[in-house]
Amino acid sequence: MELTTSFDPEVLALPFYEDSHRRLAEEAGAWCDSNRVLWEEIRSLDPDAAGRRLVRALGAAGWLAELDPRGAPVDDFRAVCLRREALAYAEDLADFAFSIQALAATPLLRFGSEAQRRRYLPGMAAGTLIGAFAVSEKEAGSDVASVGLEAVKDPADGSYVLSGRKAWIANGTIADVFVVIARTGQGPGPLGLSAFLVPASTPGLRVERIDAIAPRSFAHLSFEECRLPADALLGQPGKGFVVAVDLLERFRTTVGAAALGFARRAFDTALAHVLGREAYGATLFDLQLVKASLADMEVQLNAAALLVARAAWETDRGSRRFARHSNIAKVHATEAAQGVVDAAVQLLGAAGIVQGSVTERLYRQIRSLRVYEGTSEVLRMAIAGSLDMRRAARATAA
């Protein structure tokens, strides 16, 4: 049987993971194996139809169950990483659908009122209600503190009026509700931001579809005197920066997990090709340069898997420096995955660039992971800023 899961059993056996995670990995791989018909079906659909179909399927299969506050939500990012890795290996749009639904629901789980959680989360867990997270703007990407979308409070009834735009919003064309970060003006920069829940049906909200190199449900959002009731505020006023950064720091590790799934699928595809392709009186695998390329790919995959596992473990155990490890995991895993996918295309030659082939799809899909939820360049600055400067003092004193 063709493998559709990228899990390395030696990594799963490490103390970073518990038995529940190992069972989850087995179950996730089996589910991905059993749904090849679904993967073929959604590849024939447009991105919006595919997204809706996948969210419903994931909800029905229980992949989103932990988003339901009526159950027993678990703040388990090792589990989220394992799910993303399995889905990314099997079908990139499935990973996209799962990750954006979880991304949109997590602020509700962590900061929402009881009424807000009851209103939205059961449907999100069932896959019948689709969410999106709207923070980026054309003038404010990785720099969350630069958000300019304005939310003016009406003192008469406590409602808010939103005016401005958001850009490059994943699930923007199919979302039923948006978690929106806007400027309420309690203070400058990060101090003046608040988070809001904005139903897609809200008067004054306009969605503009945009296309990307890998087909997705992407959109710009326009808010034209968009009035929200007072209870649309998510969390405390002036704490929107905390909501956004808390979310992004946690989910960056999961982006690394998705990159690992993409890269391992590319590696496995390339390995199958070179083992079966005859050339120069032997197989491509027998060529020393091909072996060297595969070895380099395997080294990068192992390093990425370990960094993702460590970052997810640091997050789950409540480490005060989990964000540092999340940044490191995302930078290395996404940059390494780009190289692994490129090397896989090279090993397949002309077959690797045929439209619709596995490696061609992966080549388009992997690129965005180095950009969203913090570009590699911005995260490198954050990593440098988190260095332990005491090490330099010890070195010079020795």
Side-chain angles (χ1 to χ4, degrees):
M1 176 183 290
E2 179 192 358
L3 290 172
T4 53
T5 178
S6 69
F7 301 122
D8 184 336
E10 294 180 341
V11 174
L12 284 174
L14 295 173
F16 287 129
Y17 295 105
E18 301 171 10
D19 286 342
S20 60
H21 298 115
R22 298 177 188 104
R23 290 192 296 271
L24 171 63
E26 183 177 355
E27 293 166 1
W31 190 85
C32 289
D33 276 339
S34 66
N35 277 276
R36 296 178 188 177
V37 172
L38 174 61
W39 310 145
E40 291 299 325
E41 174 192 341
I42 63 100
R43 288 170 193 160
S44 67
L45 302 174
D46 67 76
D48 287 1
R52 294 188 185 95
R53 175 75 176 88
L54 283 165
V55 173
R56 288 196 302 271
L58 291 168
W63 281 66
L64 304 169
E66 290 177 358
L67 305 182
D68 192 338
R70 298 172 302 181
V74 178
D75 196 5
D76 186 347
F77 276 82
R78 283 169 291 179
V80 178
C81 285
L82 291 172
R83 290 186 175 108
R84 287 204 67 176
E85 183 179 340
L87 291 171
Y89 189 101
E91 170 52 48
D92 71 290
L93 283 173
D95 166 65
F96 182 81
F98 170 78
S99 64
I100 303 305
Q101 190 77 341
L103 186 77
T106 297
L108 274 158
L109 284 168
R110 292 182 60 78
F111 300 98
S113 67
E114 188 65 28
Q116 288 171 335
R117 292 202 293 261
R118 285 199 307 268
R119 178 179 178 184
Y120 293 110
L121 289 176
M124 296 180 80
T128 57
L129 186 148
I130 297 175
F133 180 64
V135 62
S136 297
E137 300 173 6
K138 289 185 177 180
E139 295 78 21
S142 297
D143 184 7
V144 176
S146 295
V147 161
L149 173 67
E150 188 178 48
V152 178
K153 187 174 183 178
D154 186 338
D157 59 5
S159 63
Y160 290 85
V161 178
L162 273 60
S163 300
R165 295 175 63 84
K166 291 293 182 183
W168 308 298
I169 305 306
N171 269 3
T173 54
I174 62 174
D176 299 297
V177 62
F178 297 90
V179 177
V180 177
I181 305 299
R183 184 162 298 283
T184 47
Q186 280 80 8
L191 300 178
L193 301 177
S194 300
F196 296 91
L197 293 166
V198 184
S201 59
T202 303
L205 172 58
R206 184 162 52 88
V207 177
E208 305 167 13
R209 178 187 304 278
I210 56 175
D211 295 321
I213 57 174
R216 295 286 191 276
S217 300
F218 272 119
H220 296 324
L221 307 179
S222 177
F223 299 84
E224 301 170 355
E225 298 294 313
C226 187
R227 184 174 293 274
L228 302 173
D231 62 5
L233 183 70
L234 176 63
Q236 298 298 313
K239 299 298 184 181
F241 184 81
V242 173
V243 172
V245 172
D246 176 83
L247 179 67
L248 295 174
E249 287 178 344
R250 293 172 188 279
F251 269 82
R252 281 175 187 144
T253 300
T254 79
V255 179
L260 182 59
F262 287 145
R264 181 59 77 175
R265 180 65 182 272
F267 175 87
D268 290 349
T269 301
L271 180 60
H273 176 77
V274 300
L275 287 172
R277 175 70 180 272
E278 294 185 1
Y280 307 106
T283 67
L284 285 177
F285 181 78
D286 294 308
L287 301 178
Q288 295 305 305
L289 284 175
V290 171
K291 287 184 177 180
S293 179
L294 290 168
D296 288 342
M297 295 159 77
E298 182 68 0
V299 168
Q300 294 294 328
L301 287 167
N302 273 265
L306 290 171
L307 286 171
V308 167
R310 194 262 174 93
W313 175 74
E314 294 280 8
T315 302
D316 287 345
R317 77 184 187 96
S319 169
R320 292 171 56 188
R321 286 168 63 83
F322 81 88
R324 164 183 164 82
H325 299 291
S326 183
N327 292 342
I328 290 172
K330 181 183 185 293
V331 169
H332 178 80
T334 57
E335 294 289 337
Q338 181 82 58
V340 168
V341 172
D342 185 74
V345 171
Q346 195 72 14
L347 289 175
L348 267 75
I353 57 175
V354 173
Q355 187 172 13
S357 66
V358 170
T359 49
E360 185 270 341
R361 294 201 314 269
L362 290 170
Y363 197 77
R364 287 184 290 107
Q365 292 151 5
I366 196 63
R367 187 60 183 85
S368 64
L369 274 64
R370 294 166 58 204
V371 174
Y372 70 74
E373 293 182 34
T375 66
S376 294
E377 292 75 17
V378 168
L379 296 186
R380 285 186 175 110
M381 290 194 296
I383 293 167
S386 69
L387 294 176
D388 185 352
M389 300 305 176
R390 295 171 299 177
R391 301 184 70 85
R394 286 196 295 269
T396 55

